[in-house]
Amino acid sequence: MKKSRLEAFSDGVLAIIITIMVLELRVPHQATLAALWPLWPTILSYILSFIFIGIYWNNHHHLWQVVERLNGAVLWANLHLLFWLSLVPFVTAWMGENHFASAPVALYGVVLLGSGCAYYILVRALLASHARDSLLARALGNDIKGRVSIWIYLLAIAVAFAWPWLAGLLYCTVAVIWLVPDRRIERVLAPSAQ
Amino acid sequence: MKKSRLEAFSDGVLAIIITIMVLELRVPHQATLAALWPLWPTILSYILSFIFIGIYWNNHHHLWQVVERLNGAVLWANLHLLFWLSLVPFVTAWMGENHFASAPVALYGVVLLGSGCAYYILVRALLASHARDSLLARALGNDIKGRVSIWIYLLAIAVAFAWPWLAGLLYCTVAVIWLVPDRRIERVLAPSAQ
Amino acid sequence: MKKSRLEAFSDGVLAIIITIMVLELRVPHQATLAALWPLWPTILSYILSFIFIGIYWNNHHHLWQVVERLNGAVLWANLHLLFWLSLVPFVTAWMGENHFASAPVALYGVVLLGSGCAYYILVRALLASHARDSLLARALGNDIKGRVSIWIYLLAIAVAFAWPWLAGLLYCTVAVIWLVPDRRIERVLAPSAQ
Amino acid sequence: MKKSRLEAFSDGVLAIIITIMVLELRVPHQATLAALWPLWPTILSYILSFIFIGIYWNNHHHLWQVVERLNGAVLWANLHLLFWLSLVPFVTAWMGENHFASAPVALYGVVLLGSGCAYYILVRALLASHARDSLLARALGNDIKGRVSIWIYLLAIAVAFAWPWLAGLLYCTVAVIWLVPDRRIERVLAPSAQ
């Protein structure tokens, strides 16, 4: 029961984050298709962030299926993750309004990096309270995707000041890596599926 | 359990979308009934969008009752649907503020068309992972309403530039078609109801 | 299961409505307590609306405990209720910003009246699909509170143009009437409590 | 079942409160890192409020695990708590925008004090409907943390007009006190854990 309420709260926060971003799509004053054109960077950064929040929701969803127990540290590790994700609408808007300029693109990477680290901490906190041979421990394995993502974020932040578009491409690369759902957990669950 | 969390997240996003639109009803500065008059196009487009989101919630609700399993593709097909629906508040506001001018009315149709296609893709993704004789497959049948809606949207987008009001009427027609709840699913569930 | 999802969606919409109103409490530019003073009508109308949404949530909560089945008509009667309630933040802000002037106070009553009628319709739609001796039918009785509220709203709208403060008092009267939770349902459930 | 719906509604409101605050982080117009600098007080007050809402969610979560029954008084005591917490985004924004000036810092304390008292009232309302030897009564004990917090809030409000930074430090002290999760409840539940 404990678990279900944490999931409900996280779902609520993620649902609000993903929807609130659309408020930054300011309605143009003119009623022409041409007036939509200046919105393209805002729409592009909205789509990118929508995908990232979707990835986190997907992974969170998969992760909690194999969680067996939780404690205070896990509750706070989860809130810490939600904190970083709650900053996504802010950096999305700043990046979109400034046409992917260097500083906003770098800050976007910092927020993604913070979220990635927070997810890593959450997984560690969960592993600490689960047995070595638990479903969770077997499902997570060595978490190669998580490690690679963090290195790509660091690289993207570094190159953002010289070539912001390259940083944007790197973020898209991470998104593509994660769009493949977490087969590890699906594999472990498969015999006892649903 | 997987299913219930996807439903909860979708409910959250739909609840926010339907409620956020009311923020576009800007409070008039004067305290007279006359000051409300200029709001009628905004209110009208709010009502239309409220009904459309309500229809999607209703159909989503009916659809998931007969879903037996889900996978990564379904999760993303669902997020894709939510993405299109999240654009509804934006086009609703643009259409209302511009008194149903051609371009906003056409864009409104594009978003409805995108949502309709996304719903179609979601249904396909679900059918792909269910048996031919599953409750889901029997319940959905040939999906005539879904096909007709998409053709009406295409027609509405085409005529919007000449007669935006006709496009508006076509959107209302689609709403009326769908307001009748999805009897197909209710019929299949009837013997084992509730 | 059907029922639980309708409750979850309604809870989501009501939670957003009740929280979104606080966005109308605009932060004063000066950092003095005196700068808070002009906010009193906004805060007062916020408190009133918070109580009304709370009453609807409470009654909705009690009502659905005795609901045994639902159909398409009930789903739409529920959405119709949520539609009227979604207008509450708008009229709350208009009434607060204009210091309880006549027109906003009357419109506030119109939205409360619409919500009251929508609740009445929802109850009728539920009764139509339940047996005469169902828990629901026995619990609702003659619904004297609902009828009285509607007459008070009508009276308040009528007097709002002459004495808006009297209308405000009438709204408070309705709130007080309802603050006593719906004993009818609690009484019926008592033997089989929880 | 009653209980689960109250939890869902509270989760919804808390999720919205915690996420809505980020809307006060206004996007700077310039695309330089220097343009972020003036945001530090807003970010700092956002972090503080995020932690406070997180603490309330955690305690609410722990509290309701040992609740066995609820009545109308409890429903309203819970709504009363949500009312005070719904004011947090307002005072957070006012405090952040005014760089922790005296009046906003004092008002922030008033809202925390109101929330603390509302939580205390909720606990009393729950104890009134539970047996003396119930899990709830044993879990709550003498509630030393709750009492200490209220005294610290009173002290902070008093000193805010002379030394607002000291008041800020006192709020952080309360946060640290509560960050340790409510062991009392975890201890009582431990034998029958999960």
Side-chain angles (χ1 to χ4, degrees):
Chain A
M1 192 205 71
K2 262 180 137 175
K3 198 170 108 172
S4 76
R5 208 175 154 190
L6 183 142
E7 289 177 320
F9 181 72
S10 308
D11 278 350
V13 172
L14 291 175
I16 299 161
I17 290 171
I18 219 170
T19 325
I20 245 176
M21 285 189 295
V22 96
L23 292 177
E24 293 299 332
L25 274 180
R26 298 284 155 71
V27 176
H29 291 297
Q30 283 180 297
T32 60
L33 289 182
L36 287 177
W37 181 243
L39 288 177
W40 73 262
T42 317
I43 289 172
L44 200 65
S45 72
Y46 174 53
I47 293 174
L48 186 63
S49 295
F50 194 99
I51 292 172
F52 268 109
I53 302 289
I55 289 168
Y56 273 100
W57 180 76
N58 257 336
N59 289 344
H60 200 269
H61 172 110
H62 277 91
L63 179 65
W64 286 91
Q65 285 193 292
V66 288
V67 165
E68 288 156 36
R69 69 175 61 83
L70 45 77
N71 53 32
V74 168
L75 292 187
W76 280 104
N78 191 58
L79 277 167
H80 178 232
L81 171 62
L82 295 179
F83 171 75
W84 280 100
L85 293 176
S86 80
L87 297 176
V88 168
F90 171 75
V91 289
T92 304
W94 199 35
M95 188 166 79
E97 283 179 23
N98 291 289
H99 293 221
F100 299 90
S102 290
V105 168
L107 192 72
Y108 192 83
V110 169
V111 168
L112 289 183
L113 180 64
S115 308
C117 293
Y119 194 81
Y120 181 83
I121 293 169
L122 173 62
V123 166
R124 286 304 114 186
L126 282 167
L127 284 174
S129 65
H130 282 71
R132 261 172 181 281
D133 61 340
S134 63
L135 220 54
L136 182 83
R138 277 184 295 143
L140 287 171
N142 58 5
D143 191 20
I144 192 130
K145 277 191 192 178
R147 288 165 195 228
V148 168
S149 308
I150 284 173
W151 286 106
I152 298 182
Y153 293 145
L154 285 170
L155 182 63
I157 296 167
V159 303
F161 290 97
W163 310 285
W165 279 97
L166 180 57
L169 268 180
L170 287 169
Y171 301 148
C172 295
T173 310
V174 175
V176 169
I177 291 176
W178 282 102
L179 273 177
V180 183
D182 214 323
R183 301 271 177 221
R184 288 172 300 172
I185 289 174
E186 285 196 349
R187 199 178 339 106
V188 170
L189 279 182
S192 61
Q194 270 286 343
Chain B
M1 193 203 73
K2 261 179 138 177
K3 197 170 109 172
S4 74
R5 208 176 155 190
L6 183 142
E7 289 179 319
F9 182 72
S10 308
D11 278 350
V13 172
L14 292 176
I16 298 161
I17 290 172
I18 220 170
T19 324
I20 244 175
M21 286 188 294
V22 95
L23 292 177
E24 292 300 331
L25 274 180
R26 298 284 156 69
V27 176
H29 290 297
Q30 282 179 298
T32 60
L33 289 183
L36 287 177
W37 181 243
L39 288 178
W40 73 262
T42 318
I43 289 172
L44 200 64
S45 71
Y46 174 53
I47 293 174
L48 186 63
S49 295
F50 194 98
I51 292 173
F52 268 109
I53 302 289
I55 288 168
Y56 273 101
W57 181 75
N58 257 337
N59 290 344
H60 201 268
H61 173 109
H62 277 92
L63 179 65
W64 286 91
Q65 284 192 293
V66 288
V67 166
E68 287 155 37
R69 69 176 61 83
L70 45 77
N71 54 32
V74 168
L75 292 187
W76 279 103
N78 191 59
L79 276 167
H80 178 233
L81 171 62
L82 295 179
F83 172 76
W84 280 100
L85 293 176
S86 80
L87 297 177
V88 169
F90 172 74
V91 289
T92 304
W94 200 34
M95 190 167 76
E97 283 179 24
N98 292 290
H99 295 220
F100 299 90
S102 290
V105 168
L107 192 72
Y108 191 84
V110 170
V111 168
L112 289 184
L113 180 65
S115 308
C117 293
Y119 194 81
Y120 181 83
I121 293 169
L122 173 61
V123 166
R124 287 304 114 185
L126 282 167
L127 284 173
S129 65
H130 282 72
R132 261 173 181 280
D133 60 342
S134 63
L135 220 55
L136 182 83
R138 277 184 293 143
L140 287 170
N142 58 5
D143 192 20
I144 192 131
K145 277 191 190 177
R147 286 162 196 231
V148 168
S149 308
I150 284 174
W151 287 107
I152 298 183
Y153 293 145
L154 284 170
L155 182 63
I157 296 167
V159 303
F161 290 98
W163 311 285
W165 280 96
L166 180 57
L169 269 180
L170 287 169
Y171 301 148
C172 295
T173 311
V174 176
V176 169
I177 291 177
W178 281 101
L179 273 176
V180 184
D182 213 323
R183 301 271 177 221
R184 288 172 300 172
I185 290 174
E186 285 195 349
R187 198 175 344 106
V188 170
L189 280 182
S192 62
Q194 269 282 348
Chain C
M1 192 205 72
K2 263 179 137 178
K3 196 169 108 172
S4 75
R5 211 179 152 187
L6 183 142
E7 289 179 318
F9 182 71
S10 308
D11 278 351
V13 172
L14 292 175
I16 298 160
I17 291 172
I18 219 170
T19 324
I20 245 176
M21 286 189 293
V22 95
L23 292 177
E24 293 300 331
L25 274 179
R26 298 286 155 68
V27 176
H29 291 297
Q30 281 180 299
T32 60
L33 289 182
L36 286 177
W37 180 243
L39 288 178
W40 73 261
T42 317
I43 290 172
L44 200 64
S45 71
Y46 174 53
I47 293 174
L48 186 62
S49 296
F50 193 98
I51 292 172
F52 268 109
I53 302 289
I55 288 168
Y56 273 100
W57 181 75
N58 257 337
N59 289 344
H60 201 268
H61 173 108
H62 278 92
L63 179 65
W64 285 91
Q65 284 192 294
V66 287
V67 166
E68 286 156 35
R69 69 175 61 82
L70 45 78
N71 54 31
V74 167
L75 293 187
W76 280 104
N78 192 58
L79 276 166
H80 177 232
L81 172 63
L82 295 179
F83 172 75
W84 281 101
L85 292 176
S86 80
L87 298 177
V88 168
F90 172 75
V91 289
T92 303
W94 200 35
M95 189 167 77
E97 282 180 22
N98 291 290
H99 294 221
F100 299 90
S102 290
V105 168
L107 191 72
Y108 192 84
V110 170
V111 168
L112 289 184
L113 180 64
S115 308
C117 293
Y119 194 81
Y120 181 82
I121 293 169
L122 173 62
V123 166
R124 288 302 115 183
L126 282 166
L127 284 174
S129 65
H130 282 72
R132 263 174 179 278
D133 61 339
S134 63
L135 221 54
L136 182 83
R138 277 185 293 144
L140 287 172
N142 58 6
D143 192 20
I144 192 128
K145 276 190 190 179
R147 288 163 195 231
V148 168
S149 308
I150 284 174
W151 286 108
I152 298 183
Y153 293 145
L154 285 170
L155 182 63
I157 296 167
V159 303
F161 290 98
W163 310 286
W165 279 96
L166 179 57
L169 268 180
L170 288 169
Y171 300 148
C172 295
T173 311
V174 176
V176 169
I177 290 176
W178 281 102
L179 274 176
V180 184
D182 213 323
R183 301 270 179 221
R184 289 172 301 171
I185 290 174
E186 285 196 349
R187 198 176 342 107
V188 171
L189 280 181
S192 62
Q194 270 278 352
Chain D
M1 194 205 69
K2 263 179 136 177
K3 195 168 110 172
S4 75
R5 210 177 153 189
L6 184 142
E7 289 178 320
F9 182 72
S10 308
D11 278 351
V13 172
L14 292 175
I16 298 161
I17 290 171
I18 219 169
T19 325
I20 244 176
M21 285 190 294
V22 95
L23 292 177
E24 293 299 331
L25 274 179
R26 298 285 154 70
V27 176
H29 290 296
Q30 282 180 298
T32 58
L33 289 183
L36 287 177
W37 181 242
L39 288 177
W40 73 262
T42 317
I43 290 172
L44 200 65
S45 72
Y46 174 52
I47 293 174
L48 186 62
S49 295
F50 194 97
I51 292 172
F52 268 108
I53 301 289
I55 288 168
Y56 272 100
W57 180 75
N58 256 337
N59 288 345
H60 200 268
H61 172 108
H62 277 91
L63 179 65
W64 285 91
Q65 285 193 292
V66 287
V67 166
E68 286 156 36
R69 68 176 60 84
L70 46 76
N71 54 31
V74 167
L75 293 187
W76 280 104
N78 191 57
L79 276 167
H80 178 233
L81 171 62
L82 295 179
F83 172 75
W84 281 101
L85 293 176
S86 80
L87 298 177
V88 167
F90 172 75
V91 289
T92 303
W94 200 35
M95 188 166 79
E97 282 179 24
N98 291 290
H99 294 221
F100 299 90
S102 290
V105 168
L107 192 72
Y108 192 84
V110 169
V111 168
L112 289 183
L113 179 65
S115 307
C117 293
Y119 194 81
Y120 180 83
I121 293 169
L122 173 61
V123 166
R124 287 302 115 184
L126 282 167
L127 284 174
S129 66
H130 282 72
R132 262 174 180 280
D133 61 340
S134 63
L135 220 56
L136 182 83
R138 277 185 293 144
L140 287 171
N142 57 5
D143 192 21
I144 192 131
K145 277 189 189 179
R147 288 163 195 230
V148 167
S149 307
I150 285 175
W151 287 108
I152 298 183
Y153 293 145
L154 284 170
L155 182 63
I157 296 168
V159 304
F161 290 98
W163 309 286
W165 279 97
L166 179 57
L169 268 180
L170 287 169
Y171 301 147
C172 296
T173 311
V174 175
V176 169
I177 290 177
W178 281 102
L179 274 176
V180 183
D182 214 323
R183 301 270 179 222
R184 288 173 301 172
I185 289 175
E186 286 196 348
R187 198 179 339 108
V188 172
L189 280 181
S192 62
Q194 267 288 339

